[in-house]
Amino acid sequence: MFSVVNADGTTADGSSLIDEIVREGARRMLAAALEAEVNAYIAELAGQRGGKGHRLVVRNGYHQPRRVTTAAGVVEVRAPRVNDKRVDTETGERKRFSSAILPPWCRKSPKVSEVLPLLYLHGLSSGDFVPALEQFLGSSAGLSPATVTRLTQHWQADHAAFMDRDLAEVDYVYVWADGIHLNVRMEEAKACVLVLIGVRADGSKELVARKDGYRESGESWADLLRDCARRGMRAPVLAVGDGALGFWKALAEVFPETREQRCWVHKTANVLDAMPKSAQPGAKKAIQDIYNAEDKQHAQAAIKTFAQLYGAKFPKAVKKVTDDQEQLLAFFDFPAEHWIHLRTTNPIESTFSTVRLRTKVTRGAGSRAAALAMVFKLVESAQQRWRAVNAPHLVALVRAGAHFERGQLVERPSDLAA
C-alpha cells in the first residue's frame, strides 16, 4: 500500500511516514512471533490424540483484532487461536494455551508501563500524561491519572517492604548519613528525611534505610539505627556525616565501635560562614590543603598552618577545625583509593539533588505516605546508576581489620611484628 508523502515527511492524515513504517514493521514482527509460538506449541503436542485418533491440540483460526500500545506506537494484531481439548486430571478443567508474548489481558507492553512511573518521578504531572504521550504512542489507552495513582499505592507497599527487610545477610563496611529537608507534605514543619547509604563488602553502594525524622534529632537517628540493628545490621567500620550532633550521639549509643568521619564539604561551609567574605577565598584554599594532603601527617601540619594564619583574627572559625581534628582526618587511616569517597557525604547530596527537583515540580506529593514512597522510588531509581567505590576489592580487607598507613596496605604492622 502506497501513501502520499508531503514535503515535510508527513502523510495525508498528518502522521509521519517513518512512524508508519516502524509501526507496520512492529505489527508484522509481532504477528510472525505469535504464529511461531503457536506452531511450536502445537508441534510439541502433536503426538497427543483422542480416542478416535484425532489430535487434541489444533489451530482454530484467530482471535478478534486487538490494539496494543507498544514503544513503537499502537499496533493492531490478530492472535492465533488454539483449540486444546486436553483435560487437567486434577481439576477436571480444559487446558488452555496462553501466549507468553501477548497474554490475553495485555493491552500495552511492559516497557510502556515502566515508562509511566519513570516520567512521573522525573517531573511529568499525572494530568499531563495523555496530551504528552498520546501523539507519541498513537493512543491514550492506559495513560490516565488513575494509572499513576495506582502506581503510588504500589510504591508505598514497596517502601514498607524495604524498611522491614532482613539486614543480617548484608554487610555495610562504610555508611554515609544525612538529613535531607524536602518540599513534601510532612506532618511537622521541621521534619526531614533521614538517609543511610552504605558500601557493601564488594564495593557497591546501596540504600540502607530511609525514614522521616524531626530536626535530625538524636532520638530520630537513634530510632533509625536501632531499627537497622534489630533487623540484623552489623556495625559499620566508618560512618560519614556532617556535624549534626544528633547522628553522632545516636551512633555512639547503637554502634559505639564505628569510627566517625566528618564531612569536609559541610565543615568548609561552616568555617567560611564564620569569616568575612574577604578572607574566605584564602581560607578555602587553606582548608583544601588539609583534606587533599598526601597523608595524615601532612594534613595535621596543614591544620597547624591554617591555625597560624587565621587563629588570631578568626578564632571561632579555626576552632571548628581544631576541635574536630580527629574526626576530620579519620579517612586517612583507610585505603588511599577510598579517600575521595569517605571525606564527604556527596553520595547522598548528589542523589537528593534530583529528588529535590522532583518534589519541587510536584509542589507537594499529597499524603505523607505518598511523599515518602515517592522519595524512596526516586532514590531506588538513582541507585541503579551508582558506581562502586574505587578499588572495591579493598573494602573486604577493611572489614577484616587490615591496617593501612599513608593509604597503603601494611601486611605486618609494626606493633604486631614486634
Side-chain angles (χ1 to χ4, degrees), residues 92-112:
E93 297 180 355
R94 286 271 298 270
K95 293 185 177 181
R96 292 186 178 183
F97 165 77
S98 180
S99 172
I101 299 173
L102 189 68
W105 46 264
C106 182
R107 292 297 181 273
K108 59 178 179 290
S109 76
K111 283 297 181 184
V112 173

Side-chain angles (χ1 to χ4, degrees), residues 276-357:
K277 289 187 177 180
S278 59
Q280 289 181 6
K284 184 176 182 180
K285 179 63 171 63
I287 292 173
Q288 290 173 341
D289 289 341
I290 300 172
Y291 61 76
N292 285 329
E294 60 181 281
D295 54 38
K296 179 180 282 190
Q297 288 70 32
H298 285 83
Q300 292 169 338
I303 289 179
K304 290 181 179 179
T305 300
F306 177 74
Q308 292 171 358
L309 292 173
Y310 299 99
K313 291 185 176 181
F314 315 112
K316 290 184 178 179
V318 172
K319 198 171 185 294
K320 292 177 181 290
V321 175
T322 56
D323 284 358
D324 289 339
Q325 178 171 323
E326 180 181 350
Q327 292 82 6
L328 285 168
L329 304 183
F331 73 93
F332 281 110
D333 295 332
F334 294 87
E337 293 87 346
H338 298 171
W339 291 355
I340 191 173
H341 304 287
L342 301 180
R343 60 194 181 205
T344 75
T345 55
N346 183 63
I348 293 180
E349 291 293 333
S350 60
T351 296
F352 273 82
S353 63
T354 59
V355 176
R356 286 191 180 95
L357 176 63

Side-chain angles (χ1 to χ4, degrees), residues 198-257:
V199 176
R200 301 180 63 157
D202 62 359
S204 61
K205 300 173 186 174
E206 185 175 276
L207 179 65
V208 180
R210 193 236 50 78
K211 76 182 294 288
D212 54 319
Y214 181 73
R215 283 188 173 182
E216 299 187 60
S217 68
E219 189 53 40
S220 295
W221 275 114
D223 185 55
L224 175 62
L225 294 178
R226 289 192 205 104
D227 182 65
C228 291
R230 175 188 62 80
R231 290 185 282 131
M233 179 177 171
R234 186 179 178 185
V237 176
L238 181 72
V240 186
D242 63 15
L245 296 178
F247 172 71
W248 302 116
K249 179 181 178 182
L251 184 71
E253 174 192 331
V254 182
F255 298 124
E257 60 271 47

Side-chain angles (χ1 to χ4, degrees), residues 259 333-335 397-398 400-416:
R259 295 189 60 184
D333 295 332
F334 294 87
L397 295 180
V398 171
H403 184 70
F404 293 83
E405 290 183 4
R406 300 171 63 90
Q408 302 301 315
L409 176 65
V410 178
E411 296 186 6
R412 295 192 64 192
S414 56
D415 57 338
L416 295 179

